Amino acid sequence: MYLMNNYSRFDVAFKYGKKATLFDENGKDYIDFAAGIGVNALGYAHKKIVNAAQKQAKMLMHSSNLYHIKPQEALAKEISKQLGYHTYAFFCNSGAEANECAIKLARKYGTTHFEKKKFEIISLGKSFHGRTLATLAMTGQDKFHPETFAPYTPGFKFYDSIDEVIANISENTVAVMIELVQGEGGIMAFDKDEVKKLAKTLKKRELLLITDEVQCGVYRTGEFVTSKLYDIKPDIITFAKGLGGGVGIGACVSRKDIFAPGDHGSTFGGNFMATATGLAGLKELKRLKKCGILQEISENFNAELDALLVDYPQIFKEKTGIGMMLGLVLSDEKNLPIIVSNSLKNGLLVLRSGKDTLRFLPPLNISKKEIFQGFVRLRKTLDQI
């Protein structure tokens, strides 16, 4: 092997896919309830994504941000349009990079907006914000802070509840970052009234609210941004995963144009290929939302999960999440790796979240037939326990 040993991989290699179905090298099919950890929002070989990628590849894939990139400008405008208010976008390559950008934006704001510099950013317990040293420091889970990689970047604190966050805002605090639905923390959605209370508190103190929508954004929970479901307008929103239609992309979107030339940058970020496919995918997802298909798919998928709760009460305790970012909490956490690995053997891809939650992030255009077949395979796995 010539790869670093930082992944525990399942013994399967996929060759191609169609919609929400993958095929391995031997031709075996797998129903995908994982979507590449939420990346493949439109599944595989989607015509509009393929056409956009092929068309752009024939012309120009990369030029660098030393020059104007028209698809990048168009995607930034489309994001602002779908948000419903004016924003400024910085494009990068991943969610961690988007969150790094948000950190720098907040710290510059803390330096330029107040007489005494504010630099501290607060996050929530069970959060996950990335694997760089800064985003790890901002991640509210001790398991992501091994001594191996210490010392971590200073200037971050996390607390287990929104009330604790509010109570611990200090003279050094400049921002709070929150995943409205925690991707690695059990697919838990925060209470709407508590989030609105936090937003109101921060606005009153002229501090920034940052929503990490790397996983829960881009129609994953039913709206373009989950913050719309919470009736808030964050100062900064970070995106990645489903934004690129399968091509690596990240975005940090701000209501304030804080940066000056030289403050931040990216060689690859927002290149022609990533933003052209991102724009095509975002417009298609908006169409699915507008015509009601997205809601219909979500209702079908949720109904199947509700039925599992009724039929397997000895295995599952509750359903968590919103829209198509969902989880089933297990009564016995020891069953989680068994369900994930045995589902793969039975031709189904599912994920884990935290220590006791089965996570579901299917493509947002998954067909009714694929949903049905996927749950047939999941039930076969559960019956084997």
Side-chain angles (χ1 to χ4, degrees), residues 363-382:
L364 300 179
N365 63 334
I366 186 171
S367 69
K368 193 171 183 178
K369 181 179 179 181
E370 288 170 318
I371 292 173
F372 174 78
Q373 184 56 236
F375 278 99
V376 167
R377 298 178 186 191
L378 181 54
R379 285 173 176 271
K380 179 180 178 181
T381 299
L382 299 176

Side-chain angles (χ1 to χ4, degrees), residues 158-172:
F158 55 87
Y159 300 96
D160 288 334
S161 70
I162 289 177
D163 282 341
E164 284 183 90
V165 168
I166 293 173
N168 284 280
I169 292 174
S170 72
E171 62 179 12
N172 294 323

Side-chain angles (χ1 to χ4, degrees), residues 39 49 240-249 274 277-278:
V39 168
I49 297 295
K241 291 191 182 288
L243 185 60
V247 177
I249 192 171
T277 54

